[in-house]
Amino acid sequence: MVALDLDGATDKDGLMDRRARALDLPGWFGRNRDALADSLADFLDGHTVRPEGAVERGLPIVVDGRLPYATARPAEGETAREVFAEAVRRTPALTVALTLGGSSQPRADLPG
């Protein structure tokens, strides 16, 4: 499983940086919609398998903390959702879960 926490991402560059880090994308990753879709499809193409054994088991990606970004920047949030949906359509062994919560980090103003 790949955990992608977007909590605190405030712009497209920050969003792409978090994706590149979490997904261990190569240095030449173009940091745009098409490059991300291609990189996600390449994960399980038999040549660029990340992580080891993902072709057999599948690769779940859990995206957490996206709601604040998607709310603040609705067009970019929708584009991000579309990129993940396209990648899942192109790569059947890939699963992407977009959590409903705002962040994986506990909020200081809530008990517990």
Side-chain angles (χ1 to χ4, degrees):
M1 179 189 82
V2 173
L4 174 54
D5 191 349
L6 301 180
D7 185 39
T10 59
D11 59 20
K12 184 179 173 185
D13 289 338
L15 190 68
M16 286 295 179
D17 287 344
R18 285 171 187 250
R19 289 173 177 165
R21 255 190 328 270
L23 300 169
D24 193 25
L25 297 176
W28 48 261
F29 168 62
R31 290 183 171 12
N32 62 54
R33 172 192 173 117
D34 293 334
L36 179 60
D38 290 343
S39 293
L40 288 168
D42 288 348
F43 268 166
L44 303 172
D45 70 356
H47 303 302
T48 316
V49 178
R50 295 182 184 115
E52 184 85 23
V55 170
E56 297 79 21
R57 292 187 314 268
L59 179 62
I61 299 174
V62 178
V63 182
D64 199 15
R66 96 177 250 289
L67 192 56
Y69 186 87
T71 301
R73 298 174 178 269
E76 290 178 24
E78 179 59 18
T79 297
R81 189 202 60 75
E82 289 171 358
V83 167
F84 284 121
E86 178 184 340
V88 168
R89 280 191 299 275
R90 290 172 55 184
T91 311
L94 183 66
T95 303
V96 177
L98 305 175
T99 67
L100 296 175
S103 172
S104 62
Q105 304 299 314
R107 287 185 44 191
D109 62 335
L110 296 177

